[in-house]
Amino acid sequence: MTPGATAPPAEDLLRRIYLPRGADAAAFSMTTYGIPLLVLATTGSATLTGLAFALEWLPRIAAFTVAGTLVDRFGTARIFRAACLARALTVLAAAGALTVFGTRTLAATVTVMLLAASTGVLTEFSYVAAETAGGEASRKTGARAHRVQSTLIAIDQTATLAGPAVSGLLLEHGGPAVMLGTLASFSVLAATLGPRERTEPTRGAAAKRGLGTGWATLRSLPALAWLVGGLVISNGAIALLQAAVPVVVVTELNHSSADAGLIWSAAAVASLLAISASRLAIDRWGLWPVGAAAAAVAAGATLAVAHADTYRGYLVLIAILMAGEGGLTAVLRTVRSHLIPPDVFGSTLAVTILLLLLPYPAAGLLVAAVPPAQLGHAITAAAALQAVGLAVAFTRLRSLPAAPA
């Protein structure tokens, strides 16, 4: 904690950070998991579902070339509210179009593909703003930063718990308009709960340099750079699973879209439990031992899920995988909040998230190109790379100066 700084009271964190983050996380989860289900239900095509997944993530990556800079320049509150309101309007427009055009038509296909791209951009703008606000709150708590980050991850994972299942159920029983209307409602709620005061923007040259500043900052922090590098490789396997599960569950295992959503909801439960455990474990053993244990769990589970051939197997193993991922995320966010200088936090955060998202559009394109029956082989290869990447990263981290606990 900086000299003279005081930790924000719990009620202030709840009002300014946790409540807006909760509503935005719900919209984020419904967008991430619900839009591919919507595309599959609307088009009936596994190939288009994979392409929609790529379209959802490619613009998100492009958004990070400007999102961090805009947050640094204009402040978190303004960017957060603008992104949430724009997402609500976009989703409502798509709901109206699908009501008019119906499903399995060219117009409906164009609508859902454009929806995937546009919501991807807007969701990442709101996420960068919310994450920057969370990073600032973490810095003010000093050595207890991992507790704030654990709470934020718990909020995200709670949304992930409900978002996929709710999206699948609303889509199956209410149709596209009901699902999209609910997503828009969460977006409006997030904008309403967002802080009203203007946050002070960063006026220096660092904000103007944007991603260049973020990249230079990341390279100057070897502990953060190695951790991000390992997680980029790990995200390749997770992204492939996320893109493949709707296709595998619906077309190969003959289950419903609600069942596909339930897998990620079950995974969120496991992740929440892991986050609670990692919070206590970091207090006792420190960041790197906890991170290494979480990496071993994630890599082992991915290798196992590559050979699963039942719905129950997918559900259980992906839950174990995401438990390990929850521990890794707690470590990453804590390291970020400690090491990144405040005046370039938005730009550096954008670079780290940009790198972590690079595997997602590639995973969507891979699912679009590979026949559903062959996806298991692709998952096996991704799992092997994940295990090697995490092992190298955490072995290297042991030789670096320890990050603040």
Side-chain angles (χ1 to χ4, degrees):
M1 191 184 304
T2 57
T6 58
E11 60 271 17
D12 186 57
L13 287 173
L14 176 66
R15 178 179 56 83
R16 295 181 61 254
I17 304 296
Y18 298 150
L19 288 178
R21 177 64 166 258
D24 185 60
F28 185 107
S29 179
M30 291 191 69
T31 298
T32 300
Y33 297 98
I35 298 300
L37 290 175
L38 175 66
V39 173
L40 187 59
T42 302
T43 66
S45 169
T47 298
L48 287 177
T49 301
L51 288 175
F53 190 88
L55 280 176
E56 189 177 2
W57 285 101
L58 277 171
R60 289 187 181 195
I61 291 174
F64 281 110
T65 62
V66 294
T69 301
L70 290 178
V71 168
D72 283 341
R73 187 173 298 173
F74 296 108
T76 57
R78 185 183 301 177
I79 299 300
F80 180 78
R81 288 200 303 271
C84 289
L85 289 175
R87 181 176 56 207
L89 292 173
T90 301
V91 168
L92 289 175
L98 291 176
T99 300
V100 173
F101 300 134
T103 60
R104 309 300 170 95
T105 65
L106 177 60
T109 299
V110 171
T111 296
V112 293
M113 300 301 268
L114 290 176
L115 178 66
S118 58
T119 54
V121 171
L122 296 170
T123 293
E124 292 310 323
F125 271 91
S126 68
Y127 177 77
V128 170
E131 189 72 353
T132 301
E136 179 182 356
S138 294
R139 285 193 300 274
K140 292 180 180 178
T141 64
R144 297 170 63 87
H146 65 279
R147 293 183 175 272
V148 174
Q149 290 300 323
S150 293
T151 301
L152 292 175
I153 299 170
I155 290 171
D156 291 345
Q157 293 301 324
T158 299
T160 302
L161 186 159
V166 169
S167 297
L169 289 170
L170 290 175
L171 186 60
E172 185 174 350
H173 299 290
V178 173
M179 190 202 84
L180 293 176
T182 304
L183 197 165
S185 297
F186 279 118
S187 297
V188 172
L189 181 61
T192 302
L193 291 173
R196 293 294 176 184
E197 70 273 13
R198 290 187 177 181
T199 54
E200 286 297 323
T202 301
R203 298 295 185 186
K208 296 179 181 179
R209 291 197 297 269
L211 288 181
T213 295
W215 179 249
T217 304
L218 179 62
R219 292 178 62 190
S220 71
L221 302 171
L224 180 60
W226 275 99
L227 180 59
V228 169
L231 291 180
V232 168
I233 298 173
S234 178
N235 274 7
I238 295 172
L240 182 58
L241 284 173
Q242 190 171 317
V245 160
V247 175
V248 171
V249 170
V250 175
T251 65
E252 293 296 301
L253 301 180
N254 297 316
H255 281 254
S256 68
S257 58
D259 290 332
L262 182 61
I263 284 182
W264 295 108
S265 294
V269 174
S271 186
L272 276 171
L273 295 175
I275 289 164
S276 298
S278 66
R279 177 176 173 175
L280 299 175
I282 290 172
D283 282 337
R284 183 170 182 178
W285 291 296
L287 283 168
W288 300 136
V290 173
V297 171
T302 309
L303 285 168
V305 80
H307 303 286
D309 56 3
T310 66
Y311 175 79
R312 179 176 295 181
Y314 269 92
L315 189 149
V316 172
L317 290 171
I318 289 178
I320 295 173
L321 163 63
M322 295 311 293
E325 177 68 9
L328 287 171
T329 303
V331 171
L332 171 64
R333 291 188 178 184
T334 302
V335 171
R336 273 195 321 218
S337 65
H338 275 301
L339 297 184
I340 300 176
D343 58 337
V344 292
F345 190 91
S347 297
T348 310
L349 171 68
V351 170
T352 63
I353 300 175
L354 171 62
L355 293 172
L356 292 171
L357 292 184
L358 286 175
Y360 282 84
L365 294 174
L366 184 61
V367 170
V370 174
Q374 301 300 316
L375 284 174
H377 298 300
I379 294 172
T380 299
L385 288 174
Q386 178 191 36
V388 172
L390 289 175
V392 170
F394 278 93
T395 299
R396 184 69 180 90
L397 286 169
R398 292 184 61 186
S399 66
L400 295 174

